[in-house]
Amino acid sequence: MLLLCAVGAVGYVALYSAGSGNPDLYATKHALRFGFCLVMMLCIGFVDIRLIARAAPVAYVVGIGLLVMVALHGEVGKGAQRWVDLGPLQLQPSELMKIVLVLTLAAWFHRASWERVGNPFFLVVPAVLVLVPVGLIFKQPNLGTSLITAVLGGAMFWAAGVRWWKFAAIIGAAAAAAPIVYENLREYQRARITTFLDPESDPLGAGYNIIQSKIALGSGGLWGKGFLQGTQGHLNFLPEKQTDFIFTMIAEEFGLVGAMGTLALLMLVVGFCFLVAMRCKHQFGRLLAIGLGTNYFLYIFVNVAMVTGSIPVGGVPLPLISHGGSAMLTTMIGFGMLISAWVHRDAEFGPARD
Amino acid sequence: MKFPRILRRKEKGGIANFTMRGVKREEEQRRSVFTRRALVLATGQLGLFGFLGYRLHTLQVEQGERYATLAEENRLSARLLSPPRGRVLDRNGQVVAGNRLNWRALLVAEQTSDVGATLETFSRIVPLADHERARVEREMRRRRRFVPVIVREFLAWEEMARIEVNAPDLPGILIDVGTTRIYPEAEHLAHIVGYVAPPAERDMDGDPLLQLPGIRVGRSGIERHHDLVMRGRAGAVQLEVNAVGRIIRELDRREGQPGQDIEISVDTELQKTIRGKIEEGTSIVVMNARNGEVLAMASQPSFDPNVFNAGVSNAQWRQLTANRATPLINKAANGLYAPGSTFKMVVALAGLEARAIGPGERISCPGHFDLGESRFHCWNRGGHGGMDMRSAIKLSCDVYFYELAKRLGINRIAAMGRRFGMGVDLDIELPGARRGLMPTREWREAQGRGWALGDTVVHGIGQGFYQLTPLSLATMTARLATGRAVQPHLTRSIGGRPARGGRPEDWPAMGIADRDMRLVRDAMWAVVNEGGGTAGIAKLPGGLGQMAGKTGTTQVRRVSREQRERGFRVESLPREYRPHALFVGYAPHDNPLYAVSVVVEHGTSGSGAAAPLARDAMVETFNRFRAAPAQRVADVVRGT
């Protein structure tokens, strides 16, 4: 709880700066949204874990339904259909889907004994459970999120005890398929990969974001330029500074020290998830916790790796810090379930026998 | 990877030892597998966090300085400040080349994502011709992305308003006010002041100023000669800009150095009056004989220098250059003519100095001069009879000078000519002014031709290979009048500091015997003021003093013997074959102040066409400078 509040506070400070010292622009909204999500998280936290497990199939169907809705008539933003309009709330179903997927897989594997996990046929159903949303997200098209979703699914499989050689086989197959996939990528997705390999090749075009982000990070130095003093951010050289590049903003103004501090804080959150997973007496809770932790970790890693120019830009926010509702909402729903797992860690919740 | 193998063994064990506590054991097993796998995941994630930390360290600490520099470069934008170009003032402080405000629309390439679209939108608001668009696109390619390029100059107020209103649709377009060159006297001083034009590629001498939009460089005349002084030095502002180039604030400002004003010696009113009196093909130079200041220099026809400022169109340029009357050429400094009889004083002085002839020695003129087979005619077919030097100049006897030239040889004549400023560089502040040609034996031989005695004879009367400018004839006259080697010049002061050469003492004495000079001057006085002189028409009205001078008429075409025998008259020739008419003179005779030279192309007769113009020019000069006699004359004499 405290950890999450700390993360939220970091977000507030960063967004205050991103709004050029004007809290109304981003920061206030962020705080309000965070408060709302916190309450919701606590509510979810007190729901019985078994109830949550039972809700998994319903959640999965809803998630897929939303993805299909987006595919049919979603809002088009930045060349892709990713948003669905739910009254006052615009939601990215792909974000929600990741949480739902964790939930569903945890529920599925909860019922699986070690032997059954070893049975390849038993894995067909969860594999389909993973591939359907991955495929839908990929079709949006959103390569980054679909990859993340796939990796997340893989992590769940791993934690559930799927045999290592199966992973080896899949990874090998993926490596073999990579060139074919590249052939079928959209133009802008290929541009991302090529500009990642050589960002200077197009400094005003596709490589602009990465270059400006690196300049902002690098110029921050060890101690940073000081709160509200970041030139890259405030003079708008840094694009999307309030969302995807919020970490750059922090690193520019607070330097390596601030960046590492933020990273450490986020790492503690992930660590907490792992702690919950270890302490849980039932497989569902364990898998849920580790899945949520991994999900959050993937957000952080992909985002920070992206802004430091380590992997191609992928439009992945830094949840709880970035400005934006979808990621925060889904992350907080996830943490709500995590808390529920923590609260009911000792509950009698044996694998269902059917 | 030992891990899975261990797991597998356990798996087999689990099957073998199935008991009642199977469920519980299975749970235990799942838990331990999970724990190990979670540890692997955690380790992997920790490792990736470590990688991120390493990346951050690399970027922020190891390469921090490099990126800090880049961030500064992003943020800072230096803009050059264009200094006002120095003006050109005439000797009375009247502006003859000035600056006026010019509202312009500029386009900065780096501030728009699509130059073509911006121009398209712009041309819907303010119509752009195709050639204007082509020019903008050409300049865009040539200049760097942050350098503004002029889209349209001399915007009217409504056009500006329309652009301002549509500003959001015109990314990269800015409006600013610059200055543009204006020449209030237009064609009256065009040949002297010159004109400015946008710099061409070859003008880019590394001065950053030349990159600025709207900058002009001098193309001719004073504008070109004093270009660097008048240009000034660029100032700079350092600005903090944001990503779209909008200026956030000014960090530092260094004012440039404005260009310096140039004061020229020309009197605009005199220039205009004299220009009004002459026709196409005529040039007149009026000089201050004492210090060499050019008071007026007119050449017809002329052109309007204002048209070059905005960039002259091809059609206009063709019209100017194809015109056979060559309006762009300043004939006073660039036109080349044989001096004819106006050169006789120089031959006379060469003869006296070389003691080739005595002042009183008489040479008989029967109307022609025979050299071997050739016969050279005097202009007076009947002959002048016995001629001494004074009467030979007064009556312009050709035979006398044929004989004198024969005695001297061409090289001694040429040497004296050069001492009088002919065929040498006069360092006038007019780029393109011609040095002319003072022929010598060596010059002819360098051409692979021999020099015949007959050539020398012809050169004794100023005909032949000479190529001299009206300016050098005026210089010769001034030197005859004052005995000082004055050089013609136009610059009186630069940025308020007097230029060199304003005082008579700035010029060295010629080193020609006073007695000789007096004799020649006296003869020139007789030309105008004594009965029988060739240029009585040039006599000044009473009260202005007396003018001394010399006529000249130079053949453009050889007159054949048959023509001569048939009683040939030049008036019967088509105009372009008629001789040029020349006159040189100075006044007042007893205290020379002004020297004048006149060349009337195809004017037929020096006394008939050139002498009256010289007289009028001299009268006008006196009128201009007599207004406040004491001060004016003193002013002219001191030349300050």
Side-chain angles (χ1 to χ4, degrees), chain B residues 70-81:
Chain B
L70 287 174
E72 286 293 288
E73 280 175 14
N74 261 344
R75 172 172 86 97
L76 300 178
S77 160
R79 297 260 162 102
L80 288 174
L81 295 174

PDB file of all heavy atoms in Angstrom, chain B residues 70-81:
ATOM      1  N   LEU B  70      24.442  18.195 -26.468  1.00  0.00           N
ATOM      2  CA  LEU B  70      23.362  18.088 -27.450  1.00  0.00           C
ATOM      3  C   LEU B  70      22.107  18.788 -26.961  1.00  0.00           C
ATOM      4  O   LEU B  70      21.408  19.435 -27.733  1.00  0.00           O
ATOM      5  CB  LEU B  70      23.059  16.614 -27.742  1.00  0.00           C
ATOM      6  CG  LEU B  70      24.101  15.885 -28.580  1.00  0.00           C
ATOM      7  CD1 LEU B  70      23.769  14.401 -28.674  1.00  0.00           C
ATOM      8  CD2 LEU B  70      24.183  16.483 -29.975  1.00  0.00           C
ATOM      9  N   ALA B  71      21.852  18.657 -25.666  1.00  0.00           N
ATOM     10  CA  ALA B  71      20.653  19.303 -25.117  1.00  0.00           C
ATOM     11  C   ALA B  71      20.779  20.813 -25.239  1.00  0.00           C
ATOM     12  O   ALA B  71      19.814  21.508 -25.559  1.00  0.00           O
ATOM     13  CB  ALA B  71      20.447  18.898 -23.658  1.00  0.00           C
ATOM     14  N   GLU B  72      21.998  21.325 -24.982  1.00  0.00           N
ATOM     15  CA  GLU B  72      22.214  22.766 -25.116  1.00  0.00           C
ATOM     16  C   GLU B  72      22.005  23.205 -26.561  1.00  0.00           C
ATOM     17  O   GLU B  72      21.395  24.220 -26.840  1.00  0.00           O
ATOM     18  CB  GLU B  72      23.637  23.143 -24.676  1.00  0.00           C
ATOM     19  CG  GLU B  72      23.826  23.110 -23.180  1.00  0.00           C
ATOM     20  CD  GLU B  72      23.012  24.192 -22.483  1.00  0.00           C
ATOM     21  OE1 GLU B  72      23.375  25.368 -22.600  1.00  0.00           O
ATOM     22  OE2 GLU B  72      22.011  23.845 -21.844  1.00  0.00           O
ATOM     23  N   GLU B  73      22.523  22.400 -27.462  1.00  0.00           N
ATOM     24  CA  GLU B  73      22.370  22.741 -28.880  1.00  0.00           C
ATOM     25  C   GLU B  73      20.903  22.769 -29.278  1.00  0.00           C
ATOM     26  O   GLU B  73      20.478  23.597 -30.067  1.00  0.00           O
ATOM     27  CB  GLU B  73      23.110  21.729 -29.763  1.00  0.00           C
ATOM     28  CG  GLU B  73      24.590  21.997 -29.825  1.00  0.00           C
ATOM     29  CD  GLU B  73      25.316  20.922 -30.608  1.00  0.00           C
ATOM     30  OE1 GLU B  73      24.641  20.146 -31.304  1.00  0.00           O
ATOM     31  OE2 GLU B  73      26.547  20.869 -30.501  1.00  0.00           O
ATOM     32  N   ASN B  74      20.163  21.844 -28.713  1.00  0.00           N
ATOM     33  CA  ASN B  74      18.720  21.809 -28.954  1.00  0.00           C
ATOM     34  C   ASN B  74      18.077  23.102 -28.531  1.00  0.00           C
ATOM     35  O   ASN B  74      17.244  23.666 -29.199  1.00  0.00           O
ATOM     36  CB  ASN B  74      18.083  20.714 -28.091  1.00  0.00           C
ATOM     37  CG  ASN B  74      17.851  19.462 -28.906  1.00  0.00           C
ATOM     38  OD1 ASN B  74      17.887  19.489 -30.105  1.00  0.00           O
ATOM     39  ND2 ASN B  74      17.609  18.379 -28.221  1.00  0.00           N
ATOM     40  N   ARG B  75      18.519  23.530 -27.366  1.00  0.00           N
ATOM     41  CA  ARG B  75      17.827  24.595 -26.668  1.00  0.00           C
ATOM     42  C   ARG B  75      18.219  25.960 -27.220  1.00  0.00           C
ATOM     43  O   ARG B  75      17.421  26.881 -27.243  1.00  0.00           O
ATOM     44  CB  ARG B  75      18.225  24.482 -25.200  1.00  0.00           C
ATOM     45  CG  ARG B  75      17.778  25.583 -24.305  1.00  0.00           C
ATOM     46  CD  ARG B  75      18.103  25.194 -22.880  1.00  0.00           C
ATOM     47  NE  ARG B  75      19.451  25.539 -22.511  1.00  0.00           N
ATOM     48  CZ  ARG B  75      19.769  26.647 -21.856  1.00  0.00           C
ATOM     49  NH1 ARG B  75      18.858  27.504 -21.524  1.00  0.00           N
ATOM     50  NH2 ARG B  75      21.014  26.885 -21.539  1.00  0.00           N
ATOM     51  N   LEU B  76      19.478  26.068 -27.635  1.00  0.00           N
ATOM     52  CA  LEU B  76      19.979  27.378 -28.010  1.00  0.00           C
ATOM     53  C   LEU B  76      19.929  27.548 -29.510  1.00  0.00           C
ATOM     54  O   LEU B  76      20.185  26.634 -30.265  1.00  0.00           O
ATOM     55  CB  LEU B  76      21.425  27.536 -27.538  1.00  0.00           C
ATOM     56  CG  LEU B  76      21.605  27.414 -26.042  1.00  0.00           C
ATOM     57  CD1 LEU B  76      23.058  27.542 -25.694  1.00  0.00           C
ATOM     58  CD2 LEU B  76      20.785  28.466 -25.331  1.00  0.00           C
ATOM     59  N   SER B  77      19.608  28.718 -29.909  1.00  0.00           N
ATOM     60  CA  SER B  77      19.593  29.011 -31.322  1.00  0.00           C
ATOM     61  C   SER B  77      20.158  30.399 -31.478  1.00  0.00           C
ATOM     62  O   SER B  77      19.695  31.345 -30.857  1.00  0.00           O
ATOM     63  CB  SER B  77      18.161  28.926 -31.834  1.00  0.00           C
ATOM     64  OG  SER B  77      18.053  29.633 -33.031  1.00  0.00           O
ATOM     65  N   ALA B  78      21.212  30.484 -32.240  1.00  0.00           N
ATOM     66  CA  ALA B  78      21.808  31.793 -32.468  1.00  0.00           C
ATOM     67  C   ALA B  78      21.176  32.394 -33.707  1.00  0.00           C
ATOM     68  O   ALA B  78      20.999  31.732 -34.702  1.00  0.00           O
ATOM     69  CB  ALA B  78      23.304  31.665 -32.634  1.00  0.00           C
ATOM     70  N   ARG B  79      20.790  33.631 -33.603  1.00  0.00           N
ATOM     71  CA  ARG B  79      20.246  34.315 -34.780  1.00  0.00           C
ATOM     72  C   ARG B  79      21.139  35.504 -35.053  1.00  0.00           C
ATOM     73  O   ARG B  79      21.530  36.219 -34.144  1.00  0.00           O
ATOM     74  CB  ARG B  79      18.834  34.844 -34.495  1.00  0.00           C
ATOM     75  CG  ARG B  79      17.840  33.772 -34.191  1.00  0.00           C
ATOM     76  CD  ARG B  79      16.967  33.435 -35.408  1.00  0.00           C
ATOM     77  NE  ARG B  79      16.338  32.146 -35.195  1.00  0.00           N
ATOM     78  CZ  ARG B  79      15.063  32.004 -34.828  1.00  0.00           C
ATOM     79  NH1 ARG B  79      14.305  33.041 -34.672  1.00  0.00           N
ATOM     80  NH2 ARG B  79      14.557  30.803 -34.640  1.00  0.00           N
ATOM     81  N   LEU B  80      21.424  35.689 -36.310  1.00  0.00           N
ATOM     82  CA  LEU B  80      22.228  36.845 -36.661  1.00  0.00           C
ATOM     83  C   LEU B  80      21.333  38.066 -36.756  1.00  0.00           C
ATOM     84  O   LEU B  80      20.196  37.984 -37.176  1.00  0.00           O
ATOM     85  CB  LEU B  80      22.917  36.610 -37.996  1.00  0.00           C
ATOM     86  CG  LEU B  80      24.060  35.609 -37.968  1.00  0.00           C
ATOM     87  CD1 LEU B  80      24.557  35.375 -39.372  1.00  0.00           C
ATOM     88  CD2 LEU B  80      25.166  36.098 -37.079  1.00  0.00           C
ATOM     89  N   LEU B  81      21.897  39.191 -36.344  1.00  0.00           N
ATOM     90  CA  LEU B  81      21.175  40.439 -36.488  1.00  0.00           C
ATOM     91  C   LEU B  81      21.796  41.172 -37.658  1.00  0.00           C
ATOM     92  O   LEU B  81      23.003  41.362 -37.721  1.00  0.00           O
ATOM     93  CB  LEU B  81      21.323  41.286 -35.231  1.00  0.00           C
ATOM     94  CG  LEU B  81      20.715  40.713 -33.963  1.00  0.00           C
ATOM     95  CD1 LEU B  81      21.081  41.589 -32.785  1.00  0.00           C
ATOM     96  CD2 LEU B  81      19.213  40.646 -34.108  1.00  0.00           C
TER      97      LEU B  81
END
